Amino acid sequence: MPEKHPVDEKLPPLKMMTSGLQHVAAMYAGVVAPPLIVGAAVGLSAKELTFLTGASLFTAGLATFLQTLGIWKIGARLPFVNGVTFAGVAPMVAIVNQTPDKKDALPVIFGAVIVAGLLGFLAAPFFSKLVRFFPPVVTGTVITLIGVSLMPVAFGWAQGPNPAADDYGSFKYLGLAAISLVIVLLIRRFTSGFVKQIAVLLGLVAGTVVAIPFGVADFSALGEADLVGFPTPFHFGAPQFALAAIVSMSVVMIVSMTESTADMLALGEIVEKPADEKTIAAGLRADTLGSAISPLFNGFMASAFAQNVGLVAMTKIRSRFVVAVGGGFLVLMGLCPIAASLIAVVPRPVLGGAGIVLFGSVAASGIQTLAKAGLDKDNNVLIVAVSIAVGLIPIAAPTFYHAFPETAMIILDSGISTGCVAAVVLNLVFNHVGKSKDAADVTHPMEGGEDIAGSLPQNRAEQAPAH
């Protein structure tokens, strides 16, 4: 009987629960931010905002189940956490602003997400064929960009909860972030085994305790939250289908599928179970089906969370069942608002300190992949150099594309997407167009100089496990 891959192992119950909770803590802020922003744009009351946030947590849990446990040909069956994609925030706010009656804005958004999700589900097997365009020189570049692109999120958290506040970026907040970072590093350095693996969770707890005397930890949410709550289907009204909104969210779906493909390739490398075309198709089906179902329970478009890829890279806990337990916690928090508020107690600066470790781990994994990409070849150096430069534009020069149409900003504002496209195109131009099969430069980026219309790269095709 073949040995079970670590991805398919079931760990002891305590380890499953604490490790799953650690995944939830790492992605909580990313899940609740989009509904808070969109809900505020619609003008929802505090109670309705809480409902919308709980719905996003609940649907993120359902999407995570689809991705990790899988049914039929749906789900990558990798340790992936799914949640609300931030790529859709700006287009959704634009839809809100363009809707004459704000009470219709959420139904219009939900209708557009349902259609975009169903179209994405149908397109998944065709979109997955892009895996042949992701040799190590491309995947390494994209993984590095994922980590680097997430860094500003951690730095923003470290500066405090409110960018408009006078004390934003004060020594108090930065100090708490630094303390949390140091705690995580000390636990990683001086402990071993299970304690070492949950260093981020312990760092978040310890950082929150340290924050209490400074008045940064806010426990008021615990007293205000209800014990039980359910995201009633179509709470804000039946979905409405507006063509402009559908087109806008369909473009977001393409961006989301591009990023999810890159994330699956990254995670496949990290857990040593390379994601082949079949795995990516199944993973994209889970993303898109999760997105189509989400609006039924008042949630938004779902996508894989890159920050949790960093957590897998750092802890070396590769079991998909751990992440499924995390999905269970998300569902619980969606059904029990008071449980959700426990995670909300963790101050943003504390999350920022831990985020530096998590997101940096993703970038480090990308660098490890690039080490296998044949950077002794000038062509590959150029591919990496230009692609990373293009991917860093939204971070280094946020107003760079200010003269472009607003619809184009959906793609251009994502450094991961633009860097990924640049790496794929440059790899084709430098390593395939006009190259003969025996050209020396071709052999590493795409094994054996295989035709891009042919099968998977040889090394990936041989390593990829069957499902």
Side-chain angles (χ1 to χ4, degrees):
M1 185 174 178
E3 187 177 346
K4 186 178 291 185
H5 193 282
V7 164
D8 299 314
E9 284 183 348
K10 294 181 180 179
L11 307 181
L14 178 62
K15 193 170 185 178
M16 293 267 280
M17 292 184 66
T18 52
S19 299
L21 186 60
Q22 187 169 235
H23 274 283
V24 173
M27 54 84 77
Y28 178 84
V31 171
V32 301
L36 289 176
I37 295 170
V38 175
V42 173
L44 296 182
S45 65
K47 186 174 182 179
E48 294 285 25
L49 271 177
T50 301
F51 179 91
L52 192 63
T53 303
S56 291
L57 290 166
F58 178 78
T59 53
L62 296 182
T64 299
F65 285 151
L66 273 178
Q67 195 65 270
T68 54
L69 302 179
I71 53 171
W72 185 57
K73 296 181 180 180
I74 301 169
R77 292 169 175 81
L78 289 172
F80 255 127
V81 173
N82 273 47
V84 184
T85 174
F86 216 88
V89 172
M92 287 191 292
V93 171
I95 292 171
V96 172
N97 294 335
Q98 292 164 9
T99 305
D101 190 345
K102 293 294 182 284
K103 71 178 183 182
D104 292 330
L106 285 174
V108 168
I109 289 172
F110 293 149
V113 172
I114 290 171
V115 174
L118 293 176
L119 291 175
F121 185 84
L122 295 175
F126 306 101
F127 201 92
S128 67
K129 295 184 185 299
L130 290 175
V131 70
R132 68 190 57 171
F133 301 120
F134 288 82
V137 69
V138 174
T139 56
T141 300
V142 175
I143 297 167
T144 303
L145 276 173
I146 290 172
V148 174
S149 297
L150 287 169
M151 278 299 179
V153 176
F155 299 150
W157 290 344
Q159 293 179 80
N162 184 8
D166 293 336
D167 61 350
Y168 185 71
S170 66
F171 178 78
K172 173 177 68 176
Y173 292 137
L174 297 182
L176 283 173
I179 290 171
S180 302
L181 172 60
V182 169
I183 290 172
V184 173
L185 294 176
L186 289 175
I187 293 173
R188 292 288 298 178
R189 172 64 181 85
F190 294 107
T191 63
S192 60
F194 180 55
V195 174
K196 183 176 182 177
Q197 290 175 324
I198 61 168
V200 171
L201 181 61
L202 295 177
L204 291 173
V205 173
T208 301
V209 172
V210 172
I212 293 175
F214 295 94
V216 177
D218 184 6
F219 292 89
S220 61
L222 288 174
E224 298 171 0
D226 295 329
L227 180 62
V228 180
F230 183 78
T232 314
F234 301 129
H235 176 81
F236 296 98
Q240 299 179 25
F241 303 96
L243 181 60
I246 289 171
V247 171
S248 178
M249 297 312 295
S250 294
V251 172
V252 174
M253 178 59 74
I254 293 172
V255 173
S256 176
M257 291 171 75
T258 301
E259 294 188 359
S260 286
T261 298
D263 289 340
M264 277 184 266
L265 290 166
L267 188 60
E269 293 288 340
I270 290 168
V271 301
E272 297 178 348
K273 190 176 184 180
D276 59 4
E277 189 176 309
K278 186 177 178 182
T279 302
I280 290 174
L284 292 178
R285 286 192 190 99
D287 271 6
T288 53
L289 182 60
S291 295
I293 293 173
S294 186
L296 305 182
F297 299 98
N298 315 286
F300 301 117
M301 190 175 290
S303 177
F305 265 48
Q307 51 262 55
N308 293 81
V309 175
L311 190 57
V312 174
M314 194 194 75
T315 62
K316 308 298 183 188
I317 297 178
R318 296 180 279 180
S319 171
R320 59 190 172 99
F321 297 105
V322 162
V323 176
V325 169
F329 279 119
L330 290 170
V331 170
L332 174 64
M333 288 190 291
L335 298 176
C336 180
I338 198 168
S341 63
L342 284 172
I343 298 291
V345 165
V346 180
R348 287 291 180 86
V350 174
L351 279 173
I356 291 172
V357 179
L358 295 178
F359 306 156
S361 297
V362 177
S365 296
I367 294 170
Q368 288 177 330
T369 303
L370 284 174
K372 314 171 195 171
L375 294 186
D376 54 319
K377 299 180 177 66
D378 289 343
N379 285 354
N380 288 347
V381 171
L382 283 173
I383 293 168
V384 174
V386 175
S387 301
I388 287 181
V390 170
L392 288 178
I393 288 175
I395 300 172
T399 60
F400 188 83
Y401 298 113
H402 73 279
F404 283 73
E406 190 171 324
T407 50
M409 299 302 290
I410 297 172
I411 297 174
L412 297 176
D413 269 350
S414 171
I416 299 170
S417 294
T418 54
C420 179
V421 171
V424 170
V425 171
L426 290 172
N427 178 62
L428 293 176
V429 170
F430 279 98
N431 289 326
H432 292 278
V433 175
K435 292 276 187 178
S436 62
K437 285 197 172 185
D438 56 354
D441 288 14
V442 182
T443 54
H444 188 92
M446 201 144 335
E447 292 292 333
E450 295 221 359
D451 191 310
I452 57 172
S455 61
L456 286 169
Q458 187 177 4
N459 61 328
R460 284 190 178 275
E462 290 175 353
Q463 292 178 31
H467 282 270

